[in-house]
């Protein structure tokens, strides 16, 4: 069957794609920017990649008419736009309009549990998207999930950061709100088993694990899994804004996502029933088991996808392709080069840079720069990296975004997502037997020039020290 997969570069889409391919489907991956999509070699002849932006109707003709099923995995939970719900509605309407011109039989939409009368703006928006999808000339299946627990999920990362960093927590009252977490493998099983399954046509289902827990109990459950002693006290004085800042400064989440989560976490998200479990023969795992699986994936460095690689985790608001060509005109450039001793060794060092590995030289200065950025409302260096040894175009890497990564070519290009009075690139490339390293800064007015000259004294030993360490 030919299946359309929207959100193919997202947390769910990246994990669903190999499942669909293994089932023998031909998958059409919808992406806004092909340069952000990494295609595993084993998938090259089994998938097609098309560039589509559902807010731009002129791009929709790229969707083929002979598709059998489709997944709608487009969300804007951490969008910075105040009217994100309007964008979500328009996106859904354009999607329906185009799919009505195809032979698609079913659309599967992953939404949030919305059975409470008092919904957050984000959950309300997801319900409106569901209503729009139901107007299409195809059968819509809506799967509504609450907290998704898995390596790389926003919820898991926040829980891990809080528990690992804070032995004693003074927390807001919403930690006593109840929810029904579900493991990412179970979400993927529901999504795959619903595909072109007539028993799910035209229906919506709540999906969740067997445990109903408060957020406080989820934190303590993680502490137990890690054999950590933690004490949590809730207080009534933390406003939503204060709660958002609390999450922002303690965890790796962005302030935008923290605000969205705080708004949603005040509402109970509990399944109305679990009839879909019997319909599809799925037995969701417990929260304890979900945590155990996620921790194993993290320990083994096998995190398949992470919310942090989404563009909304940083300050990007457009396709990365616009920044691929590093400018030279009107820029300050720090160029350095050195003959390499072992190409494979140097490439491995470059491909492991950042995150837990660090920057090889002057790490305390890199960390200080990240902390200053966070104080200014930027991404800081808390995102780290999804995999310790592999990086691909579109990945987040501390306060950088990977624009280009080609091991065979020996070239890596990073773009700074920190708050700057200008734009910055960091580039590594190996030509013949020489490593070329360049830091490019395009200043924005007087402040940009002032910034460059203020950090210039540090460049000599930071960049030269890093270059030396990349060689041996």
């Amino acid at each position: 069957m030919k299946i359309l997969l929207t959100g193919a570069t997202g947390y769910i889409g990246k994990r669903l794609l190999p499942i669909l391919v293994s089932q023998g489907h031909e998958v059409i991956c919808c992406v806004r920017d092909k340069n952000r999509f990494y295609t595993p070699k084993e998938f090259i002849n089994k998938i097609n990649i098309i560039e589509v932006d559902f807010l731009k109707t002129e791009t929709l003709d790229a969707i083929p008419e002979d598709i059998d099923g489709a997944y709608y995995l487009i969300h804007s939970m951490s969008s910075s736009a105040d009217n994100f719900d309007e964008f979500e509605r328009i996106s859904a309407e354009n999607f329906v309009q185009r799919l009505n011109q195809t032979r698609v039989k079913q659309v599967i939409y992953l939404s949030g549990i919305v059975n409470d009368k008092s919904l957050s703006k984000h959950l309300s928006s997801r319900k409106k998207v569901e209503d729009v999808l139901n107007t299409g000339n195809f059968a819509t299946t809506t799967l509504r999930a609450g907290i998704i627990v898995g390596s790389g999920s926003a919820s898991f990362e926040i829980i891990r950061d809080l528990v690992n960093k804070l032995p004693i927590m003074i927390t807001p009252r919403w930690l006593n709100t109840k929810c029904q977490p579900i493991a990412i493998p179970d979400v993927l099983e529901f999504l795959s088993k619903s595909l072109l399954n007539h028993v799910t046509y035209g229906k919506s289902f709540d999906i969740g694990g067997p445990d109903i827990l408060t957020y406080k109990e989820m934190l303590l459950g993680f502490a137990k899994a890690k054999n950590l002693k933690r004490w949590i006290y809730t207080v009534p004085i933390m406003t939503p804004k204060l709660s958002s800042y609390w999450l922002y400064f303690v965890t790796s989440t962005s302030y935008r996502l923290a605000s969205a989560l705080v708004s949603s976490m005040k509402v109970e998200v509990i399944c109305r029933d679990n009839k879909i479990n019997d319909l599809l023969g799925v037995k969701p795992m417990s929260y304890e088991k979900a945590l155990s699986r996620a921790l194993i994936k993290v320990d083994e460095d096998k995190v398949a996808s992470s919310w942090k690689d989404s563009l909304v985790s940083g300050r990007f608001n457009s396709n990365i392709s616009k920044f691929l060509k590093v400018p030279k005109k009107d820029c300050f450039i720090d160029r350095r080069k050195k003959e390499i001793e072992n190409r494979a060794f140097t490439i491995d060092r470059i491909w492991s840079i950042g995150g837990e590995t660090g920057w090889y030289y002057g790490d305390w200065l890199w960390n200080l720069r990240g902390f200053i950025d966070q104080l200014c409302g930027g991404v800081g260096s808390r995102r780290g990296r999804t995999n310790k040894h592999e990086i691909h175009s579109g990945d987040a890497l501390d306060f950088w975004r990977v624009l280009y990564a080609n091991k065979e070519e020996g070239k890596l290009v990073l773009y700074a997502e920190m708050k700057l009075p200008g734009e910055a690139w960091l580039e590594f490339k190996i030509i013949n037997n020489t490593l070329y390293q360049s830091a490019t800064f395009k200043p924005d007015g007087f402040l940009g020039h002032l910034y460059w000259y203020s950090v210039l004294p540090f460049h000599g030993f930071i960049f030269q020290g890093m270059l030396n360490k990349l060689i041996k």
Side-chain angles (χ1 to χ4, degrees):
M1 296 294 182
K2 186 175 285 189
I3 308 300
L4 185 75
L5 178 64
T6 67
T9 58
Y11 178 73
I12 300 292
K14 280 185 177 180
R15 296 178 182 235
L16 183 59
L17 176 58
I19 295 175
L20 296 176
V21 171
S22 69
Q23 292 175 342
H25 298 297
E26 178 186 350
V27 185
I28 312 298
C29 298
C30 284
V31 297
R32 284 189 297 174
D33 185 357
K34 287 184 178 181
N35 287 307
R36 274 196 68 217
F37 189 87
Y38 169 69
T39 306
K41 291 182 180 180
E42 64 269 24
F43 290 176
I44 289 178
N45 297 322
K46 300 177 182 178
I47 66 175
N48 289 309
I49 308 162
I50 59 175
E51 285 191 342
V52 175
D53 185 337
F54 287 101
L55 291 175
K56 299 177 181 178
T57 55
E58 64 272 17
T59 69
L60 304 186
D61 288 339
I63 297 175
E65 295 183 4
D66 59 340
I67 56 175
D68 300 289
Y71 286 93
Y72 193 77
L73 303 177
I74 300 172
H75 297 305
S76 302
M77 185 168 185
S78 51
S79 171
S80 60
D82 292 333
N83 58 338
F84 71 87
D85 52 340
E86 181 69 7
F87 290 148
E88 287 200 333
R89 180 187 62 79
I90 294 172
S91 178
E93 288 177 349
N94 290 339
F95 174 83
V96 169
Q97 183 178 358
R98 174 55 186 153
L99 261 67
N100 279 342
Q101 301 168 357
T102 71
R103 74 179 193 192
V104 68
K105 303 179 185 69
Q106 180 196 28
V107 168
I108 300 176
Y109 173 47
L110 181 62
S111 183
I113 295 178
V114 292
N115 53 14
D116 192 293
K117 293 181 180 179
S118 176
L119 297 177
S120 67
K121 187 176 181 180
H122 286 87
L123 287 177
S124 177
S125 177
R126 292 190 179 187
K127 180 62 173 66
K128 290 178 183 177
V129 168
E130 180 182 338
D131 293 339
V132 171
L133 295 178
N134 281 325
T135 66
N137 299 331
F138 44 77
T140 299
T141 300
T142 301
L143 301 179
R144 299 170 173 173
I147 297 295
I148 296 177
V149 181
S151 58
S153 76
S155 303
F156 175 82
E157 295 288 343
I158 288 172
I159 290 171
R160 183 175 64 168
D161 286 344
L162 289 173
V163 173
N164 285 344
K165 295 178 181 179
L166 301 176
I168 300 175
M169 299 181 219
I170 308 299
T171 64
R173 284 185 299 183
W174 51 255
L175 249 70
N176 291 322
T177 303
K178 292 181 179 180
C179 64
Q180 196 164 350
I182 182 170
I184 182 61
D186 294 327
V187 174
L188 296 173
E189 188 173 5
F190 280 121
L191 285 168
S192 60
K193 286 190 173 181
S194 296
L195 181 61
L196 301 175
N197 189 329
H198 289 269
V199 300
T200 67
Y201 281 15
K203 298 175 183 177
S204 63
F205 304 93
D206 292 348
I207 58 174
D211 304 311
I212 297 175
L213 306 167
T214 64
Y215 293 110
K216 179 178 178 179
E217 289 171 332
M218 290 176 66
L219 289 169
L220 292 174
F222 187 96
K224 181 180 178 182
K226 294 281 289 184
N227 293 316
L228 297 172
K229 290 288 186 180
R230 293 294 182 262
W231 292 266
I232 303 175
Y233 305 96
T234 57
V235 294
I237 57 174
M238 293 186 77
T239 65
K241 191 169 186 177
L242 188 58
S243 297
S244 300
Y245 278 117
W246 177 69
L247 283 180
Y248 171 64
F249 279 107
V250 176
T251 72
S252 58
T253 185
S254 65
Y255 180 75
R256 285 179 283 169
L257 181 56
S259 297
L261 288 171
V262 168
S263 176
S264 299
M265 285 176 172
K266 293 184 292 184
V267 180
E268 285 194 353
V269 282
I270 299 173
C271 299
R272 293 163 297 182
D273 57 58
N274 59 0
K275 60 184 178 183
I276 192 174
N277 296 5
D278 295 328
L279 285 175
L280 300 183
V282 178
K283 186 177 181 181
M285 67 183 73
S286 67
Y287 176 64
E288 182 180 2
K289 186 175 180 180
L291 282 180
S292 176
R293 287 177 62 105
L295 289 169
I296 290 173
K297 292 293 184 182
V298 172
D299 291 341
E300 294 180 347
D301 197 26
K302 294 181 179 178
V303 180
S305 63
S306 172
W307 76 273
K308 291 180 286 190
D309 291 330
S310 168
L311 291 186
V312 293
S313 75
R315 69 186 186 104
F316 259 93
N317 54 16
S318 60
N319 295 347
I320 67 174
S321 298
K322 292 176 59 177
F323 304 90
L324 266 174
K325 187 174 181 179
V326 182
K328 306 297 180 187
K329 186 179 179 181
D330 300 323
C331 293
F332 295 112
I333 305 176
D334 181 296
R335 292 189 179 95
R336 300 172 191 272
K337 65 179 182 177
K338 192 162 187 176
E339 187 173 326
I340 62 177
E341 300 175 4
N342 184 310
R343 179 185 174 91
F345 172 83
T346 297
I347 287 180
D348 285 343
R349 295 281 277 180
I350 294 172
W351 253 250
S352 301
I353 204 165
E356 294 180 12
T357 301
W359 294 83
Y360 300 120
Y361 195 84
D363 274 349
W364 70 273
L365 283 170
W366 289 95
N367 293 332
L368 177 62
R369 183 62 185 89
F371 178 69
I372 293 173
D373 187 54
Q374 188 181 355
L375 289 178
C376 296
V379 297
S381 56
R382 303 156 299 149
R383 295 184 304 182
R385 47 185 293 161
T386 299
N387 187 286
K388 294 178 183 177
H389 305 292
E390 291 294 328
I391 44 179
H392 305 289
S393 298
D395 286 0
L397 201 166
D398 292 344
F399 43 61
W400 301 90
R401 178 71 59 173
V402 180
L403 298 183
Y404 185 83
N406 188 316
K407 260 190 173 182
E408 293 181 4
E409 186 180 345
K411 182 177 179 179
L412 175 68
V413 183
L414 309 176
Y415 177 82
E417 288 196 276
M418 67 189 87
K419 286 185 174 293
L420 289 169
E423 296 178 294
W425 290 258
L426 183 60
E427 183 178 7
F428 306 91
K429 58 182 177 182
I430 297 176
I431 300 177
N432 296 325
N433 209 37
T434 303
L435 171 61
Y436 294 83
Q437 174 187 289
S438 61
T440 303
F441 182 68
K442 186 175 183 180
D444 184 8
F446 172 74
L447 286 178
H449 286 75
L450 182 63
Y451 173 81
W452 174 262
Y453 287 112
S454 66
V455 299
L456 189 59
F458 302 103
H459 285 179
F461 62 92
I462 289 179
F463 288 135
Q464 188 61 47
M466 180 169 64
L467 182 65
N468 293 337
K469 292 288 187 179
L470 291 173
I471 303 301
K472 59 181 179 181

